[in-house]
């Protein structure tokens, strides 16, 4: 299996790839200013809220954009269907994973995430620029490249397979909920915070360590696995980590922010 991750030196030697800077912070504005202060040469700034999601609503806080909207965004950012794409964020791939997953879902077959992000690139002493590239692409979005779960399917999978909750443990347990109006988790879901997928440097654990982590949670190759979070962003990171471990998983895109829009859906705490 070709790894969905790429290291700084490997990226520096890669020619012809489209680069997307997806720096973003939960609850904060897009990191466009950070991009303006310096980014990897050739990278275009990808706004997670505007380019990788449609406006919040009944579908949750970060619903998928339409195929037409995604096509327009990716062409504006220089993405072609025939050449590789590399995405990165500050360090831990929380935002970059959403770009990786969305591109894969919409049919791009050659997408990788810079392991360790912009921090790793800088620590490797590689060049940084303030120049904004002039790019255009020909990518056409075709939905269906990655498996997804509806709310009903996610609820069922928590009983028939393994449904991983990628949020912090205290949010899973319902002890705190800083963003959504209801605290708790999907009944039967297993707590699997994405912070445990990476080390202190923001780089992913090695595949064997990730396999061991997920196996302890019941997520192995011969079991149906799904993931959700608050709004489908960090859950994409979970799906990416599972992919590194050799386990394919489906994403509940609407996640908790969608689950709680229907008061008839059960909520568990503890």
């Amino acid at each position: 299996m070709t790894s969905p991750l790429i290291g700084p030196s490997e990226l520096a030697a890669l020619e012809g790839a489209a680069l997307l800077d997806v720096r973003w912070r939960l609850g904060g504005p897009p990191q466009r200013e950070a991009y303006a202060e310096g980014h990897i040469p050739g990278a275009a700034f990808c706004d997670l809220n505007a380019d990788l999601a449609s406006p919040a609503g009944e579908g949750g806080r970060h619903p998928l954009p339409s195929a037409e909207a995604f096509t327009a965004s990716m062409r504006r950012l220089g993405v072609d269907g025939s050449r590789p794409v590399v995405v990165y964020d500050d360090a831990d791939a929380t935002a970059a994973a959403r770009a990786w997953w969305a591109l894969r879902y919409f049919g791009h077959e050659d997408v990788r995430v810079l392991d360790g992000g912009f921090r790793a690139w800088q620590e490797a002493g590689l060049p940084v620029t303030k120049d904004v590239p002039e790019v255009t692409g020909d990518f056409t979005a075709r939905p269906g490249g990655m498996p997804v779960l509806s709310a009903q399917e996610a609820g069922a999978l928590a009983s028939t397979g393994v449904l991983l909750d990628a949020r912090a443990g205290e949010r899973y347990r319902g002890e705190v909920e800083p963003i959504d109006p209801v605290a708790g988790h999907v009944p039967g879901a297993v707590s699997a915070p994405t912070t445990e997928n990476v080390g202190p440097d923001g780089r992913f654990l090695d595949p064997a360590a990730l396999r061991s982590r997920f196996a302890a949670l019941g997520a192995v190759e011969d079991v149906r696995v799904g993931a959700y979070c608050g709004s489908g962003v960090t859950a994409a990171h979970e799906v990416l980590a599972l992919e590194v471990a050799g386990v394919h998983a489906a994403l509940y895109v609407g996640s908790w922010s969608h689950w709680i829009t229907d008061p008839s859906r059960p909520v568990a705490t503890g």
Side-chain angles (χ1 to χ4, degrees), residues 47-65:
D47 184 328
L48 187 147
N49 293 327
D51 297 323
L52 305 177
S54 59
E58 292 184 359
R61 284 186 279 108
H62 287 106
L64 277 179

mmCIF file with all atom_site columns, all heavy atoms in Angstrom, residues 47-65:
data_model
loop_
_atom_site.group_PDB
_atom_site.id
_atom_site.type_symbol
_atom_site.label_atom_id
_atom_site.label_alt_id
_atom_site.label_comp_id
_atom_site.label_asym_id
_atom_site.label_entity_id
_atom_site.label_seq_id
_atom_site.pdbx_PDB_ins_code
_atom_site.Cartn_x
_atom_site.Cartn_y
_atom_site.Cartn_z
_atom_site.occupancy
_atom_site.B_iso_or_equiv
_atom_site.pdbx_formal_charge
_atom_site.auth_seq_id
_atom_site.auth_comp_id
_atom_site.auth_asym_id
_atom_site.auth_atom_id
_atom_site.pdbx_PDB_model_num
ATOM 1   N N   . ASP A 1 47 ? -9.069  27.371 2.096  1.00 0.00 ? 47 ASP A N   1
ATOM 2   C CA  . ASP A 1 47 ? -9.888  27.751 3.238  1.00 0.00 ? 47 ASP A CA  1
ATOM 3   C C   . ASP A 1 47 ? -10.812 26.584 3.579  1.00 0.00 ? 47 ASP A C   1
ATOM 4   O O   . ASP A 1 47 ? -11.722 26.262 2.810  1.00 0.00 ? 47 ASP A O   1
ATOM 5   C CB  . ASP A 1 47 ? -10.696 28.996 2.878  1.00 0.00 ? 47 ASP A CB  1
ATOM 6   C CG  . ASP A 1 47 ? -11.521 29.537 4.029  1.00 0.00 ? 47 ASP A CG  1
ATOM 7   O OD1 . ASP A 1 47 ? -11.977 28.748 4.879  1.00 0.00 ? 47 ASP A OD1 1
ATOM 8   O OD2 . ASP A 1 47 ? -11.740 30.763 4.075  1.00 0.00 ? 47 ASP A OD2 1
ATOM 9   N N   . LEU A 1 48 ? -10.580 25.945 4.725  1.00 0.00 ? 48 LEU A N   1
ATOM 10  C CA  . LEU A 1 48 ? -11.362 24.764 5.073  1.00 0.00 ? 48 LEU A CA  1
ATOM 11  C C   . LEU A 1 48 ? -12.852 25.052 5.076  1.00 0.00 ? 48 LEU A C   1
ATOM 12  O O   . LEU A 1 48 ? -13.653 24.285 4.536  1.00 0.00 ? 48 LEU A O   1
ATOM 13  C CB  . LEU A 1 48 ? -10.914 24.211 6.433  1.00 0.00 ? 48 LEU A CB  1
ATOM 14  C CG  . LEU A 1 48 ? -11.527 22.880 6.874  1.00 0.00 ? 48 LEU A CG  1
ATOM 15  C CD1 . LEU A 1 48 ? -10.537 22.068 7.702  1.00 0.00 ? 48 LEU A CD1 1
ATOM 16  C CD2 . LEU A 1 48 ? -12.820 23.065 7.659  1.00 0.00 ? 48 LEU A CD2 1
ATOM 17  N N   . ASN A 1 49 ? -13.259 26.169 5.670  1.00 0.00 ? 49 ASN A N   1
ATOM 18  C CA  . ASN A 1 49 ? -14.682 26.486 5.769  1.00 0.00 ? 49 ASN A CA  1
ATOM 19  C C   . ASN A 1 49 ? -15.305 26.762 4.403  1.00 0.00 ? 49 ASN A C   1
ATOM 20  O O   . ASN A 1 49 ? -16.437 26.361 4.139  1.00 0.00 ? 49 ASN A O   1
ATOM 21  C CB  . ASN A 1 49 ? -14.903 27.695 6.676  1.00 0.00 ? 49 ASN A CB  1
ATOM 22  C CG  . ASN A 1 49 ? -14.549 27.394 8.113  1.00 0.00 ? 49 ASN A CG  1
ATOM 23  O OD1 . ASN A 1 49 ? -14.707 26.283 8.590  1.00 0.00 ? 49 ASN A OD1 1
ATOM 24  N ND2 . ASN A 1 49 ? -14.049 28.397 8.818  1.00 0.00 ? 49 ASN A ND2 1
ATOM 25  N N   . ALA A 1 50 ? -14.587 27.465 3.545  1.00 0.00 ? 50 ALA A N   1
ATOM 26  C CA  . ALA A 1 50 ? -15.147 27.883 2.261  1.00 0.00 ? 50 ALA A CA  1
ATOM 27  C C   . ALA A 1 50 ? -14.923 26.870 1.142  1.00 0.00 ? 50 ALA A C   1
ATOM 28  O O   . ALA A 1 50 ? -15.773 26.718 0.257  1.00 0.00 ? 50 ALA A O   1
ATOM 29  C CB  . ALA A 1 50 ? -14.558 29.233 1.848  1.00 0.00 ? 50 ALA A CB  1
ATOM 30  N N   . ASP A 1 51 ? -13.769 26.175 1.162  1.00 0.00 ? 51 ASP A N   1
ATOM 31  C CA  . ASP A 1 51 ? -13.412 25.293 0.058  1.00 0.00 ? 51 ASP A CA  1
ATOM 32  C C   . ASP A 1 51 ? -13.700 23.818 0.322  1.00 0.00 ? 51 ASP A C   1
ATOM 33  O O   . ASP A 1 51 ? -13.862 23.043 -0.629 1.00 0.00 ? 51 ASP A O   1
ATOM 34  C CB  . ASP A 1 51 ? -11.922 25.441 -0.276 1.00 0.00 ? 51 ASP A CB  1
ATOM 35  C CG  . ASP A 1 51 ? -11.561 26.838 -0.755 1.00 0.00 ? 51 ASP A CG  1
ATOM 36  O OD1 . ASP A 1 51 ? -12.381 27.437 -1.476 1.00 0.00 ? 51 ASP A OD1 1
ATOM 37  O OD2 . ASP A 1 51 ? -10.474 27.332 -0.396 1.00 0.00 ? 51 ASP A OD2 1
ATOM 38  N N   . LEU A 1 52 ? -13.753 23.424 1.590  1.00 0.00 ? 52 LEU A N   1
ATOM 39  C CA  . LEU A 1 52 ? -13.902 22.010 1.931  1.00 0.00 ? 52 LEU A CA  1
ATOM 40  C C   . LEU A 1 52 ? -15.208 21.715 2.642  1.00 0.00 ? 52 LEU A C   1
ATOM 41  O O   . LEU A 1 52 ? -15.421 20.605 3.136  1.00 0.00 ? 52 LEU A O   1
ATOM 42  C CB  . LEU A 1 52 ? -12.728 21.546 2.814  1.00 0.00 ? 52 LEU A CB  1
ATOM 43  C CG  . LEU A 1 52 ? -11.332 21.780 2.246  1.00 0.00 ? 52 LEU A CG  1
ATOM 44  C CD1 . LEU A 1 52 ? -10.276 21.338 3.255  1.00 0.00 ? 52 LEU A CD1 1
ATOM 45  C CD2 . LEU A 1 52 ? -11.149 21.043 0.922  1.00 0.00 ? 52 LEU A CD2 1
ATOM 46  N N   . ALA A 1 53 ? -16.087 22.708 2.724  1.00 0.00 ? 53 ALA A N   1
ATOM 47  C CA  . ALA A 1 53 ? -17.382 22.528 3.386  1.00 0.00 ? 53 ALA A CA  1
ATOM 48  C C   . ALA A 1 53 ? -18.385 23.489 2.791  1.00 0.00 ? 53 ALA A C   1
ATOM 49  O O   . ALA A 1 53 ? -18.017 24.498 2.172  1.00 0.00 ? 53 ALA A O   1
ATOM 50  C CB  . ALA A 1 53 ? -17.248 22.758 4.895  1.00 0.00 ? 53 ALA A CB  1
ATOM 51  N N   . SER A 1 54 ? -19.647 23.166 2.970  1.00 0.00 ? 54 SER A N   1
ATOM 52  C CA  . SER A 1 54 ? -20.709 24.113 2.640  1.00 0.00 ? 54 SER A CA  1
ATOM 53  C C   . SER A 1 54 ? -21.171 24.761 3.936  1.00 0.00 ? 54 SER A C   1
ATOM 54  O O   . SER A 1 54 ? -20.785 24.326 5.029  1.00 0.00 ? 54 SER A O   1
ATOM 55  C CB  . SER A 1 54 ? -21.862 23.393 1.933  1.00 0.00 ? 54 SER A CB  1
ATOM 56  O OG  . SER A 1 54 ? -22.389 22.365 2.745  1.00 0.00 ? 54 SER A OG  1
ATOM 57  N N   . PRO A 1 55 ? -21.977 25.819 3.877  1.00 0.00 ? 55 PRO A N   1
ATOM 58  C CA  . PRO A 1 55 ? -22.371 26.509 5.102  1.00 0.00 ? 55 PRO A CA  1
ATOM 59  C C   . PRO A 1 55 ? -23.057 25.591 6.109  1.00 0.00 ? 55 PRO A C   1
ATOM 60  O O   . PRO A 1 55 ? -23.777 24.660 5.742  1.00 0.00 ? 55 PRO A O   1
ATOM 61  C CB  . PRO A 1 55 ? -23.336 27.589 4.590  1.00 0.00 ? 55 PRO A CB  1
ATOM 62  C CG  . PRO A 1 55 ? -22.898 27.846 3.189  1.00 0.00 ? 55 PRO A CG  1
ATOM 63  C CD  . PRO A 1 55 ? -22.464 26.512 2.669  1.00 0.00 ? 55 PRO A CD  1
ATOM 64  N N   . ALA A 1 56 ? -22.821 25.856 7.390  1.00 0.00 ? 56 ALA A N   1
ATOM 65  C CA  . ALA A 1 56 ? -23.419 25.057 8.453  1.00 0.00 ? 56 ALA A CA  1
ATOM 66  C C   . ALA A 1 56 ? -24.933 25.120 8.374  1.00 0.00 ? 56 ALA A C   1
ATOM 67  O O   . ALA A 1 56 ? -25.524 26.129 7.972  1.00 0.00 ? 56 ALA A O   1
ATOM 68  C CB  . ALA A 1 56 ? -22.938 25.560 9.811  1.00 0.00 ? 56 ALA A CB  1
ATOM 69  N N   . GLY A 1 57 ? -25.577 24.029 8.758  1.00 0.00 ? 57 GLY A N   1
ATOM 70  C CA  . GLY A 1 57 ? -27.033 23.968 8.728  1.00 0.00 ? 57 GLY A CA  1
ATOM 71  C C   . GLY A 1 57 ? -27.503 22.636 9.246  1.00 0.00 ? 57 GLY A C   1
ATOM 72  O O   . GLY A 1 57 ? -26.894 22.064 10.162 1.00 0.00 ? 57 GLY A O   1
ATOM 73  N N   . GLU A 1 58 ? -28.554 22.112 8.659  1.00 0.00 ? 58 GLU A N   1
ATOM 74  C CA  . GLU A 1 58 ? -29.108 20.844 9.124  1.00 0.00 ? 58 GLU A CA  1
ATOM 75  C C   . GLU A 1 58 ? -28.140 19.685 8.918  1.00 0.00 ? 58 GLU A C   1
ATOM 76  O O   . GLU A 1 58 ? -28.262 18.646 9.568  1.00 0.00 ? 58 GLU A O   1
ATOM 77  C CB  . GLU A 1 58 ? -30.427 20.555 8.412  1.00 0.00 ? 58 GLU A CB  1
ATOM 78  C CG  . GLU A 1 58 ? -31.554 21.516 8.794  1.00 0.00 ? 58 GLU A CG  1
ATOM 79  C CD  . GLU A 1 58 ? -32.859 21.147 8.143  1.00 0.00 ? 58 GLU A CD  1
ATOM 80  O OE1 . GLU A 1 58 ? -32.892 20.155 7.379  1.00 0.00 ? 58 GLU A OE1 1
ATOM 81  O OE2 . GLU A 1 58 ? -33.854 21.853 8.391  1.00 0.00 ? 58 GLU A OE2 1
ATOM 82  N N   . GLY A 1 59 ? -27.184 19.848 8.017  1.00 0.00 ? 59 GLY A N   1
ATOM 83  C CA  . GLY A 1 59 ? -26.201 18.800 7.778  1.00 0.00 ? 59 GLY A CA  1
ATOM 84  C C   . GLY A 1 59 ? -25.038 18.822 8.750  1.00 0.00 ? 59 GLY A C   1
ATOM 85  O O   . GLY A 1 59 ? -24.109 18.029 8.624  1.00 0.00 ? 59 GLY A O   1
ATOM 86  N N   . GLY A 1 60 ? -25.078 19.725 9.737  1.00 0.00 ? 60 GLY A N   1
ATOM 87  C CA  . GLY A 1 60 ? -23.981 19.843 10.688 1.00 0.00 ? 60 GLY A CA  1
ATOM 88  C C   . GLY A 1 60 ? -23.175 21.102 10.462 1.00 0.00 ? 60 GLY A C   1
ATOM 89  O O   . GLY A 1 60 ? -23.534 21.947 9.640  1.00 0.00 ? 60 GLY A O   1
ATOM 90  N N   . ARG A 1 61 ? -22.058 21.215 11.196 1.00 0.00 ? 61 ARG A N   1
ATOM 91  C CA  . ARG A 1 61 ? -21.261 22.435 11.109 1.00 0.00 ? 61 ARG A CA  1
ATOM 92  C C   . ARG A 1 61 ? -20.363 22.493 9.886  1.00 0.00 ? 61 ARG A C   1
ATOM 93  O O   . ARG A 1 61 ? -19.959 23.567 9.454  1.00 0.00 ? 61 ARG A O   1
ATOM 94  C CB  . ARG A 1 61 ? -20.432 22.604 12.387 1.00 0.00 ? 61 ARG A CB  1
ATOM 95  C CG  . ARG A 1 61 ? -21.250 23.085 13.572 1.00 0.00 ? 61 ARG A CG  1
ATOM 96  C CD  . ARG A 1 61 ? -20.405 23.399 14.796 1.00 0.00 ? 61 ARG A CD  1
ATOM 97  N NE  . ARG A 1 61 ? -20.052 22.200 15.542 1.00 0.00 ? 61 ARG A NE  1
ATOM 98  C CZ  . ARG A 1 61 ? -18.846 21.661 15.592 1.00 0.00 ? 61 ARG A CZ  1
ATOM 99  N NH1 . ARG A 1 61 ? -17.848 22.219 14.928 1.00 0.00 ? 61 ARG A NH1 1
ATOM 100 N NH2 . ARG A 1 61 ? -18.616 20.582 16.315 1.00 0.00 ? 61 ARG A NH2 1
ATOM 101 N N   . HIS A 1 62 ? -19.988 21.341 9.343  1.00 0.00 ? 62 HIS A N   1
ATOM 102 C CA  . HIS A 1 62 ? -19.127 21.309 8.158  1.00 0.00 ? 62 HIS A CA  1
ATOM 103 C C   . HIS A 1 62 ? -19.639 20.277 7.151  1.00 0.00 ? 62 HIS A C   1
ATOM 104 O O   . HIS A 1 62 ? -18.973 19.278 6.880  1.00 0.00 ? 62 HIS A O   1
ATOM 105 C CB  . HIS A 1 62 ? -17.676 20.989 8.533  1.00 0.00 ? 62 HIS A CB  1
ATOM 106 C CG  . HIS A 1 62 ? -16.958 22.100 9.208  1.00 0.00 ? 62 HIS A CG  1
ATOM 107 N ND1 . HIS A 1 62 ? -16.671 22.094 10.554 1.00 0.00 ? 62 HIS A ND1 1
ATOM 108 C CD2 . HIS A 1 62 ? -16.476 23.283 8.731  1.00 0.00 ? 62 HIS A CD2 1
ATOM 109 C CE1 . HIS A 1 62 ? -16.041 23.213 10.870 1.00 0.00 ? 62 HIS A CE1 1
ATOM 110 N NE2 . HIS A 1 62 ? -15.916 23.939 9.779  1.00 0.00 ? 62 HIS A NE2 1
ATOM 111 N N   . PRO A 1 63 ? -20.832 20.507 6.571  1.00 0.00 ? 63 PRO A N   1
ATOM 112 C CA  . PRO A 1 63 ? -21.313 19.565 5.550  1.00 0.00 ? 63 PRO A CA  1
ATOM 113 C C   . PRO A 1 63 ? -20.389 19.575 4.332  1.00 0.00 ? 63 PRO A C   1
ATOM 114 O O   . PRO A 1 63 ? -19.663 20.545 4.096  1.00 0.00 ? 63 PRO A O   1
ATOM 115 C CB  . PRO A 1 63 ? -22.696 20.118 5.176  1.00 0.00 ? 63 PRO A CB  1
ATOM 116 C CG  . PRO A 1 63 ? -23.031 21.129 6.223  1.00 0.00 ? 63 PRO A CG  1
ATOM 117 C CD  . PRO A 1 63 ? -21.735 21.636 6.763  1.00 0.00 ? 63 PRO A CD  1
ATOM 118 N N   . LEU A 1 64 ? -20.453 18.504 3.564  1.00 0.00 ? 64 LEU A N   1
ATOM 119 C CA  . LEU A 1 64 ? -19.660 18.472 2.337  1.00 0.00 ? 64 LEU A CA  1
ATOM 120 C C   . LEU A 1 64 ? -20.166 19.517 1.348  1.00 0.00 ? 64 LEU A C   1
ATOM 121 O O   . LEU A 1 64 ? -21.364 19.752 1.251  1.00 0.00 ? 64 LEU A O   1
ATOM 122 C CB  . LEU A 1 64 ? -19.756 17.098 1.681  1.00 0.00 ? 64 LEU A CB  1
ATOM 123 C CG  . LEU A 1 64 ? -18.843 16.002 2.197  1.00 0.00 ? 64 LEU A CG  1
ATOM 124 C CD1 . LEU A 1 64 ? -19.118 14.711 1.426  1.00 0.00 ? 64 LEU A CD1 1
ATOM 125 C CD2 . LEU A 1 64 ? -17.388 16.398 2.048  1.00 0.00 ? 64 LEU A CD2 1
ATOM 126 N N   . PRO A 1 65 ? -19.264 20.137 0.593  1.00 0.00 ? 65 PRO A N   1
ATOM 127 C CA  . PRO A 1 65 ? -19.719 21.020 -0.490 1.00 0.00 ? 65 PRO A CA  1
ATOM 128 C C   . PRO A 1 65 ? -20.317 20.182 -1.607 1.00 0.00 ? 65 PRO A C   1
ATOM 129 O O   . PRO A 1 65 ? -20.093 18.965 -1.691 1.00 0.00 ? 65 PRO A O   1
ATOM 130 C CB  . PRO A 1 65 ? -18.427 21.706 -0.938 1.00 0.00 ? 65 PRO A CB  1
ATOM 131 C CG  . PRO A 1 65 ? -17.347 20.728 -0.604 1.00 0.00 ? 65 PRO A CG  1
ATOM 132 C CD  . PRO A 1 65 ? -17.800 20.044 0.658  1.00 0.00 ? 65 PRO A CD  1
#
